[in-house]
Amino acid sequence: MIQFGRRTARSGRGRRTPQPAPSEPAAARTPQQELAITLEAMFLHSDRTLSDEATADAYRITLDTVLLMLEGSRAERLMGEEEYRHLAGMIHGMRGAPEAL
């Protein structure tokens, strides 16, 4: 589990970027909320935020592309059904991150 406080992280451009402060104790958050906080911290590190609708749309499009690649791998039998379901389920969970913030 990753703990986030009101700390800053150095961005690639040498500036400090704010990290999201949890609005509730970690024990009260769902796994989906924890994932959303982690993903948002990654976006903030690049001076982006999933609360920006254009960024959230690009994020969802990227995940849809990854799902398409997984479907192709499954169709070509490069990945089994169980592996596909597991990975696709994780990606579907990630799609909800912008709404969970």
Side-chain angles (χ1 to χ4, degrees):
M1 178 175 313
I2 300 172
Q3 297 294 324
F4 295 95
R6 291 294 295 162
R7 63 177 189 238
T8 59
R10 195 164 292 282
S11 72
R13 290 174 280 291
R15 295 184 302 222
R16 296 271 185 188
T17 56
Q19 299 299 304
S23 59
E24 54 194 52
R29 292 191 297 258
T30 66
Q32 292 81 8
Q33 290 168 323
E34 287 291 331
L35 176 60
I37 290 168
T38 300
L39 292 168
E40 178 68 351
M42 294 174 72
F43 274 81
L44 287 172
H45 186 74
S46 296
D47 297 326
R48 304 279 192 276
T49 177
L50 288 172
S51 62
D52 173 66
E53 197 54 42
T55 301
D57 285 344
Y59 170 76
R60 288 184 203 102
I61 291 166
T62 301
L63 291 177
D64 289 344
T65 303
V66 172
L67 281 171
L68 183 64
M69 290 181 355
L70 290 177
E71 290 167 6
S73 292
R74 180 181 59 172
E76 294 290 323
R77 297 198 171 144
L78 299 172
M79 147 187 325
E81 187 64 34
E82 185 176 335
E83 293 86 1
Y84 169 79
R85 280 196 311 268
H86 177 76
L87 292 171
M90 289 172 52
I91 292 168
H92 283 293
M94 290 174 68
R95 271 188 120 266
E99 291 79 24
L101 294 174

